[in-house]
Amino acid sequence: EGCDTREGAEALAGAEIGERVHAALGDLPPDQAEVVELSFLEGMPHSAIAEHLGIPLGTVKSRLRLAFARLRPVLEDLR
């Protein structure tokens, strides 16, 4: 039973982390959230994101960098 309790606690912690990440993504400007979702949730390479959105590769990288700058302070305690 101890195993079930530990697994339940880990699942709850994972759900809470997921909720925090989802909320943090929701606070990003839409253009930044879109590239983060495509890159990390969909697994698309940066060049494919650029082609998919019809924007330069440098813009994709810039939006990701700006998004991480906003996400880092909000989520850094999750490390």
Side-chain angles (χ1 to χ4, degrees), residues 1 4 7 15 29 53 73-74:
E1 282 195 28
D4 290 339
E7 288 174 2
L53 297 178
V74 177

Side-chain angles (χ1 to χ4, degrees), residues 4-49:
D4 290 339
T5 303
R6 186 176 68 242
E7 288 174 2
E10 288 174 0
L12 181 60
E16 289 173 4
I17 290 169
E19 288 175 16
R20 283 189 57 198
V21 170
H22 185 72
L25 285 173
D27 289 339
L28 291 175
D31 59 340
Q32 292 175 20
E34 184 175 36
V35 294
V36 170
E37 290 173 9
L38 290 173
S39 181
F40 291 93
L41 303 180
E42 301 293 328
M44 289 178 72
H46 297 171
S47 58
I49 295 169

Side-chain angles (χ1 to χ4, degrees), residues 2-3 6 10 14-15 20 23-24 26-28 40 43 45-46 48 53 62-64 67-68 71-72 74 76-78:
C3 186
R6 186 176 68 242
E10 288 174 0
R20 283 189 57 198
D27 289 339
L28 291 175
F40 291 93
H46 297 171
L53 297 178
S62 178
R63 288 179 183 177
L64 284 169
F68 290 138
L71 292 173
R72 189 173 296 114
V74 177
E76 68 184 346
D77 65 306
L78 296 179

